[in-house]
């Protein structure tokens, strides 16, 4: 049986093509058992979406920081952006990830 995580979402239809970067925060590693560590494994890039009533989207990109926070706000583009649905406490949530980000 298919599950919510099996759904592939059309990214352009869902979030549009214009991403305005407004914030950057670290992604931390977790130990087995769910304990957070001090090890940074990537960054969340928070963007507003002008084509979608300026709603926010937080995109996880693993690896080193690719855009400087001092450049916010800036228009950016993501490499291989993917969006998935998942459930948390009986509510649907959206998770976005990419393999890269650059200024557009």
């Amino acid at each position: 049986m298919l599950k919510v995580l099996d759904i592939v979402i059309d990214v352009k239809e869902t979030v549009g093509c214009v991403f305005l970067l407004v914030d950057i925060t670290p992604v931390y590693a977790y130990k087995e058992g769910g304990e957070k560590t001090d090890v940074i494994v990537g960054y969340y890039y928070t963007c507003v979406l002008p084509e979608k009533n300026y709603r926010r989207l937080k995109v996880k990109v693993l690896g080193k920081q690719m855009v400087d926070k001092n450049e916010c706000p800036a228009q950016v583009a993501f490499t291989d952006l993917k969006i998935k649905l998942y459930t948390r406490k009986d509510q649907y949530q959206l998770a976005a990830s990419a393999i890269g980000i650059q200024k557009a």
Side-chain angles (χ1 to χ4, degrees):
M1 173 173 259
L2 286 175
K3 298 180 182 177
V4 170
L5 289 176
D6 296 327
I7 297 171
V8 177
I9 298 172
D10 184 321
V11 174
K12 288 183 181 178
E13 282 292 319
T14 303
V15 297
C17 297
V18 179
F19 303 92
L20 299 177
L21 181 65
V22 294
D23 195 20
I24 302 170
T25 54
V27 175
Y28 292 98
Y30 285 80
K31 295 179 183 177
E32 277 188 45
E35 185 181 341
K36 185 178 174 180
T37 69
D38 292 334
V39 178
I40 297 173
V41 295
Y43 291 87
Y44 289 114
Y45 297 90
T46 303
C47 297
V48 292
L49 309 171
E51 297 169 309
K52 299 297 177 178
N53 295 322
Y54 290 88
R55 291 204 168 114
R56 288 180 176 252
L57 178 68
K58 187 160 67 169
V59 181
K60 179 171 39 173
V61 180
L62 297 178
K64 65 182 174 99
Q65 189 171 338
M66 298 180 188
V67 178
D68 190 73
K69 191 170 184 171
N70 294 331
E71 299 179 52
C72 294
Q75 187 170 343
V76 294
F78 291 98
T79 305
D80 198 24
L81 178 62
K82 294 193 182 329
I83 296 175
K84 290 241 179 204
L85 282 176
Y86 66 97
T87 57
R88 186 178 199 182
K89 297 181 181 178
D90 295 328
Q91 292 185 343
Y92 289 106
Q93 303 286 326
L94 196 72
S97 64
I99 60 170
I101 181 176
Q102 63 276 340
K103 286 176 59 178

